[in-house]
Amino acid sequence: EGENSEFPRIHSYTPANTEPASRPPWVTDDSFSQKFAPGKSTTTVTKHILPRGVPVPSPATISAYPSPVPTSSQPPALARGTVQRAERFPASSRTPLCGHCNSIIRGPFLVAMGRSWHPEEFNCAYCKTSLADMCFVEEQNSVYCERCYEQFFAPTCARCHTKIMGEVMHALRQTWHTSCFVCAACKKPFGNSLFHMEDGEPYCEKDYIALFSTKCHGCDYPVEAGDKFIEALGHTWHDTCFICAVCHVNLEGQPFYSKKDKPLCKKHAHAINV
């Protein structure tokens, strides 16, 4: 019996009971009322695990913070670990709400992270040191002095083994100061540039090609991964670069001769000017 050959066919899915598109969802969806019941919450809560030894802020402290400002009016987000400093303002007719106790501030106040604070209530969440005139770091909706942030939150640099305050580079499953993650040859930081690994060391693309890549003897450009190449006359060639030095016919798979380290086809094997 002969084999039957079939061409693939395109099928379109048609629902069994197609409802007109104009019908409202509460008519076509039996569970619609349950999805939007008045008592049903659609809010999800994400838990953050604090390092051991760091006190968890009490619910009262969390709820005392005002609601987040809509994204459109927020300043650009600061990088994690950025060191900040509160700004002092004298008493005036302005009476802002304190970001800690949510009460009106009638005297001098501080401004930090886009909110106002009683000076005596703007303290490190762990050691309770006043941050009115000290640098601080924001972490998980709390503020910490530099010392406590470094102890509990700051990652360690894989190169210099010191704590990283501010911008962090993530590479090779480790964390680095941006100034510490550098090319092993030229010592320049990579930033967001491409890098290559060789013997456990990172190299920028320029130095990696110069130090480790195999160059074609015909064009002097690197033979990269995926390129077809030929090894002949003690050198490596792109398959398209292994040509007769006189007539430029491709010699891949063909008998060839050489003179002055250059390949020649059979016709020009005895050429004088090469």
PDB file of all heavy atoms in Angstrom, residues 157 159-160 176-182 189:
ATOM      1  N   CYS A 157      31.494  43.033  48.779  1.00  0.00           N
ATOM      2  CA  CYS A 157      32.127  43.013  47.458  1.00  0.00           C
ATOM      3  C   CYS A 157      33.004  41.773  47.315  1.00  0.00           C
ATOM      4  O   CYS A 157      33.806  41.462  48.205  1.00  0.00           O
ATOM      5  CB  CYS A 157      32.966  44.275  47.266  1.00  0.00           C
ATOM      6  SG  CYS A 157      33.866  44.321  45.692  1.00  0.00           S
ATOM      7  N   ARG A 159      35.472  41.322  45.432  1.00  0.00           N
ATOM      8  CA  ARG A 159      36.888  41.597  45.174  1.00  0.00           C
ATOM      9  C   ARG A 159      37.607  42.157  46.407  1.00  0.00           C
ATOM     10  O   ARG A 159      38.612  41.610  46.841  1.00  0.00           O
ATOM     11  CB  ARG A 159      37.040  42.578  44.015  1.00  0.00           C
ATOM     12  CG  ARG A 159      38.500  42.837  43.655  1.00  0.00           C
ATOM     13  CD  ARG A 159      38.656  43.850  42.551  1.00  0.00           C
ATOM     14  NE  ARG A 159      40.054  44.059  42.189  1.00  0.00           N
ATOM     15  CZ  ARG A 159      40.479  45.015  41.392  1.00  0.00           C
ATOM     16  NH1 ARG A 159      39.618  45.856  40.851  1.00  0.00           N
ATOM     17  NH2 ARG A 159      41.757  45.130  41.107  1.00  0.00           N
ATOM     18  N   CYS A 160      37.074  43.243  46.972  1.00  0.00           N
ATOM     19  CA  CYS A 160      37.770  43.890  48.091  1.00  0.00           C
ATOM     20  C   CYS A 160      37.247  43.431  49.449  1.00  0.00           C
ATOM     21  O   CYS A 160      37.802  43.792  50.488  1.00  0.00           O
ATOM     22  CB  CYS A 160      37.688  45.409  47.973  1.00  0.00           C
ATOM     23  SG  CYS A 160      36.010  46.069  48.200  1.00  0.00           S
ATOM     24  N   TRP A 176      29.479  43.225  43.645  1.00  0.00           N
ATOM     25  CA  TRP A 176      30.736  43.963  43.509  1.00  0.00           C
ATOM     26  C   TRP A 176      30.471  45.458  43.603  1.00  0.00           C
ATOM     27  O   TRP A 176      29.395  45.927  43.245  1.00  0.00           O
ATOM     28  CB  TRP A 176      31.384  43.701  42.144  1.00  0.00           C
ATOM     29  CG  TRP A 176      31.395  42.289  41.670  1.00  0.00           C
ATOM     30  CD1 TRP A 176      30.322  41.540  41.263  1.00  0.00           C
ATOM     31  CD2 TRP A 176      32.543  41.429  41.532  1.00  0.00           C
ATOM     32  NE1 TRP A 176      30.724  40.284  40.884  1.00  0.00           N
ATOM     33  CE2 TRP A 176      32.072  40.181  41.032  1.00  0.00           C
ATOM     34  CE3 TRP A 176      33.896  41.600  41.770  1.00  0.00           C
ATOM     35  CZ2 TRP A 176      32.924  39.115  40.782  1.00  0.00           C
ATOM     36  CZ3 TRP A 176      34.749  40.539  41.510  1.00  0.00           C
ATOM     37  CH2 TRP A 176      34.271  39.314  41.028  1.00  0.00           C
ATOM     38  N   HIS A 177      31.468  46.212  44.062  1.00  0.00           N
ATOM     39  CA  HIS A 177      31.456  47.652  43.820  1.00  0.00           C
ATOM     40  C   HIS A 177      31.585  47.834  42.307  1.00  0.00           C
ATOM     41  O   HIS A 177      32.288  47.064  41.646  1.00  0.00           O
ATOM     42  CB  HIS A 177      32.656  48.348  44.492  1.00  0.00           C
ATOM     43  CG  HIS A 177      32.591  48.401  45.980  1.00  0.00           C
ATOM     44  ND1 HIS A 177      33.344  47.582  46.792  1.00  0.00           N
ATOM     45  CD2 HIS A 177      31.860  49.198  46.801  1.00  0.00           C
ATOM     46  CE1 HIS A 177      33.095  47.873  48.053  1.00  0.00           C
ATOM     47  NE2 HIS A 177      32.199  48.842  48.090  1.00  0.00           N
ATOM     48  N   THR A 178      30.935  48.840  41.767  1.00  0.00           N
ATOM     49  CA  THR A 178      31.046  49.067  40.319  1.00  0.00           C
ATOM     50  C   THR A 178      32.493  49.338  39.919  1.00  0.00           C
ATOM     51  O   THR A 178      32.903  49.043  38.806  1.00  0.00           O
ATOM     52  CB  THR A 178      30.160  50.243  39.890  1.00  0.00           C
ATOM     53  OG1 THR A 178      30.466  51.382  40.702  1.00  0.00           O
ATOM     54  CG2 THR A 178      28.688  49.906  40.054  1.00  0.00           C
ATOM     55  N   SER A 179      33.279  49.903  40.839  1.00  0.00           N
ATOM     56  CA  SER A 179      34.688  50.198  40.542  1.00  0.00           C
ATOM     57  C   SER A 179      35.587  48.979  40.749  1.00  0.00           C
ATOM     58  O   SER A 179      36.765  49.002  40.385  1.00  0.00           O
ATOM     59  CB  SER A 179      35.178  51.346  41.435  1.00  0.00           C
ATOM     60  OG  SER A 179      34.999  51.030  42.806  1.00  0.00           O
ATOM     61  N   CYS A 180      35.046  47.900  41.344  1.00  0.00           N
ATOM     62  CA  CYS A 180      35.850  46.707  41.603  1.00  0.00           C
ATOM     63  C   CYS A 180      35.674  45.625  40.542  1.00  0.00           C
ATOM     64  O   CYS A 180      36.527  44.746  40.418  1.00  0.00           O
ATOM     65  CB  CYS A 180      35.501  46.117  42.971  1.00  0.00           C
ATOM     66  SG  CYS A 180      36.174  47.044  44.370  1.00  0.00           S
ATOM     67  N   PHE A 181      34.566  45.675  39.810  1.00  0.00           N
ATOM     68  CA  PHE A 181      34.358  44.657  38.770  1.00  0.00           C
ATOM     69  C   PHE A 181      34.986  45.179  37.481  1.00  0.00           C
ATOM     70  O   PHE A 181      34.367  45.920  36.724  1.00  0.00           O
ATOM     71  CB  PHE A 181      32.880  44.365  38.584  1.00  0.00           C
ATOM     72  CG  PHE A 181      32.614  43.179  37.710  1.00  0.00           C
ATOM     73  CD1 PHE A 181      33.129  41.929  38.028  1.00  0.00           C
ATOM     74  CD2 PHE A 181      31.855  43.297  36.559  1.00  0.00           C
ATOM     75  CE1 PHE A 181      32.900  40.829  37.219  1.00  0.00           C
ATOM     76  CE2 PHE A 181      31.621  42.202  35.745  1.00  0.00           C
ATOM     77  CZ  PHE A 181      32.140  40.963  36.076  1.00  0.00           C
ATOM     78  N   VAL A 182      36.245  44.791  37.237  1.00  0.00           N
ATOM     79  CA  VAL A 182      37.027  45.364  36.144  1.00  0.00           C
ATOM     80  C   VAL A 182      37.625  44.268  35.255  1.00  0.00           C
ATOM     81  O   VAL A 182      37.704  43.098  35.646  1.00  0.00           O
ATOM     82  CB  VAL A 182      38.170  46.251  36.701  1.00  0.00           C
ATOM     83  CG1 VAL A 182      37.611  47.409  37.511  1.00  0.00           C
ATOM     84  CG2 VAL A 182      39.135  45.421  37.567  1.00  0.00           C
ATOM     85  N   PRO A 189      36.561  49.443  34.588  1.00  0.00           N
ATOM     86  CA  PRO A 189      35.262  48.876  34.998  1.00  0.00           C
ATOM     87  C   PRO A 189      34.409  48.536  33.779  1.00  0.00           C
ATOM     88  O   PRO A 189      34.441  49.226  32.757  1.00  0.00           O
ATOM     89  CB  PRO A 189      34.629  50.016  35.813  1.00  0.00           C
ATOM     90  CG  PRO A 189      35.778  50.879  36.241  1.00  0.00           C
ATOM     91  CD  PRO A 189      36.782  50.800  35.132  1.00  0.00           C
TER      92      PRO A 189
END
